[in-house]
Each structure stands twice: as structure tokens, then as C-alpha cells.
Amino acid sequence: SQQGEEDPQALSIQEGENATMNCSYKTSINNLQWYRQNSGRGLVHLILIRSNEREKHSGRLRVTLDTSKKSSSLLITASRAADTASYFCATFSGGSNYKLTFGKGTLLTVNP
Amino acid sequence: DTGVSQDPRHKITKRGQNVTFRCDPISEHNRLYWYRQTLGQGPEFLTYFQNEAQLEKSRLLSDRFSAERPKGSFSTLEIQRTEQGDSAMYLCASSWGSEGQPQHFGDGTRLSIL
């Protein structure tokens, strides 16, 4: 079963614009991670935010976490065509610290 | 850091045949994972090794599936008597064992069952 659910399922923007993707999850978490997947490739880890953190930055990425609403958002600023990919949030499930559960992802298309 | 390597990248086979995939993790990583991903979905956990010990298998992993990690190095995933529903991308990942370490993924093996 999917622990995280991303919204929207697809997002199309112009280069230079900001892109925001949201993720909701069901159970309590220790941390939440975001991954990127280019078409036909494996997943690349972007950022991890712990349950006691509310916001985290990494380059052009900004992640927020609201544990009271069980939701997270990923903001990509000044998007580039190379940011075109699927983005997934993931959490550890079943009380484990190894079994990641992913949502269905948001397909981001950045038009040049 | 040479990354996680998977072989083959693509496998096309007829229904009923056996297939085997190989994963070479990042050498310093003691944890290894297999996931399956179908079109339009996120990866789904299949199984997990810590060193050579297989510590968890998902219910998705029927008795036709077997995974090994001899000597805690590379891993193989075998599917016997393949079925149409086995068509998917099979992803391998590895990580260090401590809390919060990201999982590093290979580019996967895409399996197509004719």
C-alpha cells in the first residue's frame, strides 16, 4: 500500500518558474525523504527532513514538513529543463528504518 | 563511489521462463534492497538484506521469487516460471545501516514478459 501520496500527479511549467509538489502520509514518521527519478533511470535521493524539523533547504530545493497535518511539500525554485523528472516522497513503514514506502509521484515537466 | 550497478538493463523473455538479475551495491554499504516499480507507480519494497542475511520479504515476493546475497556483496533476484504480471522495473538500492542514511538506487532492470 502507498504510504505517501503526491499531489498533483502531473505538473507542467515554464523554465524559471517555481514548482511545488505536495505529499501526504498516513502514519507517524521519524523522517520523510524526497527522491527524483528521470525517465528510465533509478531514483536519486534529494533531501531528508526529520520529524522535529519544519523546513529544510538544499540549493534550489525547499522542503517543509507539517506533522500535525501529515504532509510535506517540495519547492523547486527557478526551475530548469533538467529538472524534468518524477518526484517521490518516501517514508519508513511498519516501524522499520529500512523499508521505504513511496507515493505514486509527481511528474514534473519544465518547458524550455 | 561507482554507484549501484544492475545487470541486465533490459530483459525480454517468454512466459514460463526463469530470469535472474544481478545487483552490485556500493562496496561500503551493508544494506541492500530490492524494489519493484510498475508504470505510473512508485517503487514497492520486495526484500532487504543486512550483510548476507535476508531480514525481510514482502508478501509481494511469491514463492517464485528468490533473492540471495552471498558473502554480503552482490545480490541476485531470480524469478521462476515468469508470468505476465511480473513485467516491471526491478530496482536495487544500497545504504549504510544507520538511521537517516539515503538509499542509493541503480538504474534498474526492465523485465518484459511476452
Side-chain angles (χ1 to χ4, degrees):
Chain A
S1 63
Q2 304 283 340
Q3 159 76 319
E5 293 294 336
E6 291 87 349
D7 172 64
Q9 290 189 357
L11 180 60
S12 181
I13 60 174
Q14 297 299 122
E15 231 174 3
E17 294 180 340
N18 296 342
T20 299
M21 289 157 271
N22 302 298
C23 165
S24 59
Y25 57 92
K26 298 174 183 174
T27 61
S28 61
I29 59 171
N30 290 327
N31 61 64
L32 183 143
Q33 303 180 42
W34 285 90
Y35 285 80
R36 183 189 76 222
Q37 185 177 35
N38 289 78
S39 180
R41 304 295 299 274
L43 283 79
V44 175
H45 181 263
L46 294 177
I47 196 166
L48 178 149
I49 186 165
R50 302 189 188 283
S51 59
N52 61 355
E53 297 176 308
R54 291 295 166 260
E55 187 171 311
K56 198 164 182 179
H57 297 254
S58 177
R60 293 184 297 113
L61 305 180
R62 173 180 168 248
V63 170
T64 63
L65 179 64
D66 187 336
T67 54
S68 67
K69 295 181 179 178
K70 291 187 168 58
S71 67
S72 174
S73 67
L74 171 67
L75 168 66
I76 304 174
T77 60
S79 62
R80 305 167 182 168
D83 295 328
T84 294
S86 291
Y87 292 82
F88 297 90
C89 66
T91 58
F92 290 117
S93 62
S96 80
N97 66 353
Y98 56 83
K99 181 166 62 177
L100 282 175
T101 300
F102 292 85
K104 293 184 178 181
T106 292
L107 176 59
L108 173 65
T109 302
V110 182
N111 302 299
Chain B
D1 181 354
T2 57
V4 177
S5 176
Q6 291 189 246
D7 182 69
R9 290 293 314 278
H10 304 275
K11 179 70 176 178
I12 301 172
T13 192
K14 293 181 179 179
R15 183 168 54 89
Q17 298 294 304
N18 299 343
V19 294
T20 300
F21 311 140
R22 178 180 170 119
C23 171
D24 287 273
I26 293 172
S27 57
E28 313 89 78
H29 288 173
N30 61 343
R31 291 185 172 188
L32 186 146
Y33 318 81
W34 285 97
Y35 292 85
R36 181 171 68 188
Q37 186 178 25
T38 53
L39 200 61
Q41 302 292 317
E44 293 179 293
F45 172 84
L46 292 179
T47 190
Y48 153 64
F49 290 85
Q50 180 150 320
N51 300 310
E52 67 275 10
Q54 187 175 20
L55 298 185
E56 184 168 342
K57 291 173 60 174
S58 163
R59 284 174 291 179
L60 293 174
L61 223 59
S62 75
D63 56 7
R64 296 185 298 105
F65 288 71
S66 62
E68 295 182 344
R69 191 184 183 197
K71 301 179 183 178
S73 56
F74 71 93
S75 176
T76 59
L77 177 67
E78 181 183 14
I79 309 174
Q80 296 183 328
R81 305 181 303 281
T82 52
E83 301 174 354
Q84 293 280 356
D86 297 332
S87 294
M89 174 81 87
Y90 290 84
L91 293 162
C92 176
S94 68
S95 74
W96 272 113
S98 55
E99 175 71 22
Q101 291 299 313
Q103 296 185 12
H104 297 258
F105 283 79
D107 282 338
T109 294
R110 180 167 296 285
L111 175 65
S112 298
I113 307 298
L114 300 177

